[in-house]
Amino acid sequence: MAPDQAGTLNTPISWPFEEAAKLAARLQSADPRRPALLETGYGPSGLPHLGTFGEVARTSWVRRAYTDLTGRPTRLLAFSDDMDGLRKVPDNVPNRDMLAEHLGKPLSRVPDPFGTHESFAAHNNTRLRAFLDGFGFEYEFVSSTETYAAGRFDATLLRALAAHDAIVATVAPTLGPERRATYSPFLPIHPRTGVVMQVRIDAIDAQAGTISWQDTQGERFTTPVTGGAAKLQWKADWAMRWAALGVDYEMSGKDLIDSVRLSAKICRLLGAEPPLSLTYELFLDEHAQKISKSKGNGISVEEWLRYAPPESLSQFMFLAPQRAKRLCFDVIPRAADEYLANLARAPTQDEAALRGNAAWFIHDGAPPPASGTPVTFAMLLNLASVANTENPDVLWAFLERYRPGLTKQAEPLLARLVTHAVAYYRDFVRPQKRFRAPDAHEREALADLAETLKGFAANASPDDLQNLVFEVGKRHGFAPLRAWFGCLYEVLLGQTEGPRFGIFIALYGISETVALIEAALTA
């Protein structure tokens, strides 16, 4: 999608395009050959998680929209803060006693507790890259340690040293009295212990490019701020990175709003314009509490992918990033079906509408032409529920009867959904099933439905069967009609919500549905 004849940009209505339009306006006067630089950050003291996926996916969608909007090149950096000091020993790693001996050292100098890489950072960086590669993201990996050591930050670090007092004056009001008394943006690396030292800086020499300080034993040192001999504290470090690399866009969570503002001020002190930023909302658990790795009240990527395809996770991340969302297991089926609905909608949409469709972004601008599946994920869960099965082949038997000629080979997405559905049913639906007996009024209506169904052909259409269900409910005076459907779900399926009952009957089978009703009436 190119600019129109008047030179303005035709912007589709979706948040990635809105962000891309802001980025295009920022770079309007730049050399069109100069790539827009987008960045995501990662702290390698832990493993990649859903937040990592969300930030990279969302940034990639802004990147895709920018390219579509302008035709200009882009780059996406996945930046690892692997020069940060190890602040505490993680709970979920081996050799914790060994790690405790290296507290305070840059993660890139801490031995790998797993014994597979040269450092703890290298281990987690490898996991990060495998994680991103597994989702097909296009990015450039950048190590903080390597970038510091290679001197790529040196010129900006010297500018930071020259602006030392101005940076301190900017940061100090945000600190408590004790930190404020000793704060410096520079953290020297101890030449003997290798520890990142958070100490008072006794003197700075901007011309020589050095800082002077003393360790806890009273020994004095003069350290260059260049070449990886020192690093910056993280808010100043973030700003320095933006300035040194020329970052144009980086999104971040709501919990970092104040940090973004402060880093933007520091970036300007370094003579650079801070990047554009989208502030995304945080995830909440089923009790509306913030998701926390330490609390363990979230969902891991591996858990999500056990119960639904990766496209459903992308769909969940795409929807309204600036709105807080519950992230718990019961959102997975809806995300899967929202993805399927968008996929089915894509072939019928015009260019503008398609670019507002999450499926366009999830498939990098090219949703597959033969899209969708003959049944929803929710319907597969209901089918697994009424069949009370963990065997995918049982579901396939119903599917093949419902749609003759249907095969796993011809419907690979459906095949994946079936496997996910039986896993989700086993772990979440079956433990929550609560059947109830029908009352006298409901018994009459259910008996009527069963008897009427016996007169329908086995290949009756879902619409005809749905009309029948409505007619029976009206015939027996259910008002509102949702009370009738509530009866069907609670008595026959053991749940409070359920599918369109006509398509359920067609899929499960008329004779099987009659037997299901009769069993409920005799229970």
Side-chain angles (χ1 to χ4, degrees), residues 34 59 75 101 110 116 120 247 293 370 392 444 446 503 517:
R34 175 230 197 250
T59 304
R75 297 170 60 203
E101 298 174 3
V110 175
T116 58
F120 191 26
V247 176
K293 287 187 290 183
E444 291 180 3
L446 287 167
I503 191 172
I517 295 171

Side-chain angles (χ1 to χ4, degrees), residues 195-268:
V195 170
V196 180
M197 302 297 293
Q198 187 166 304
V199 293
R200 180 195 298 273
I201 301 302
D202 298 321
I204 62 171
D205 186 335
Q207 187 171 357
T210 61
I211 51 177
S212 297
W213 55 282
Q214 62 179 353
D215 64 14
T216 56
Q217 306 302 313
E219 187 172 358
R220 297 183 180 277
F221 300 90
T222 296
T223 301
V225 299
T226 54
K231 71 178 299 294
L232 291 176
Q233 301 218 36
W234 88 269
K235 293 173 187 176
D237 189 73
W238 204 6
M240 182 276 297
R241 183 199 313 169
W242 291 342
L245 301 178
V247 176
D248 296 305
Y249 188 92
E250 180 166 5
M251 62 176 64
S252 56
K254 182 180 179 180
D255 54 335
L256 295 179
I257 288 177
D258 291 339
S259 299
V260 170
R261 290 172 180 161
L262 188 61
S263 294
K265 292 178 181 178
I266 298 171
C267 188
R268 292 188 177 98

